[in-house]
Amino acid sequence: MDAFQRIETLDSGHHDVRYKGERWGLSVKRYSNGHAVKVYAESLAGSEFISGNLYLVDDIWSLKPCEMPREKVMSFILGFEIQK
């Protein structure tokens, strides 16, 4: 499963996740009938955060990170685990 498929499986709203052994709060917000998705996460143990927007154009997802490397956002999306 790629990063875009992973985000598609999540409901909009808040999710408690674990990333690199730490607890994070992840927010997923959908816009434009699901063609735009805002992903924002904060580490609950420190000041780190992840922020990016995903856009679906002509059936192709594109990631636009917010003031951080694309790799950082992709690593988070591919690496977090949902806490139950």
Side-chain angles (χ1 to χ4, degrees):
M1 179 179 299
D2 69 22
F4 307 108
Q5 292 170 325
R6 193 138 199 251
I7 292 300
E8 277 188 304
T9 66
L10 295 176
D11 292 332
S12 292
H14 179 81
H15 303 272
D16 292 321
V17 302
R18 189 165 285 282
Y19 177 64
K20 293 187 177 180
E22 294 182 359
R23 292 180 56 221
W24 287 64
L26 168 63
S27 294
V28 176
K29 294 181 183 176
R30 288 184 168 74
Y31 304 95
S32 301
N33 295 321
H35 289 93
V37 181
K38 171 73 176 172
V39 175
Y40 182 80
E42 287 185 344
S43 169
L44 301 181
S47 60
E48 264 201 275
F49 69 96
I50 299 292
S51 183
N53 296 294
L54 293 86
Y55 300 99
L56 182 62
V57 178
D58 296 329
D59 294 326
I60 298 172
W61 280 104
S62 176
L63 171 65
K64 301 293 183 192
C66 297
E67 300 182 17
M68 62 185 53
R70 183 180 193 280
E71 294 77 20
K72 183 174 181 177
V73 179
M74 290 295 285
S75 177
F76 177 83
I77 291 172
L78 292 172
F80 73 79
E81 297 174 11
I82 297 285
Q83 297 298 287
K84 297 178 182 184

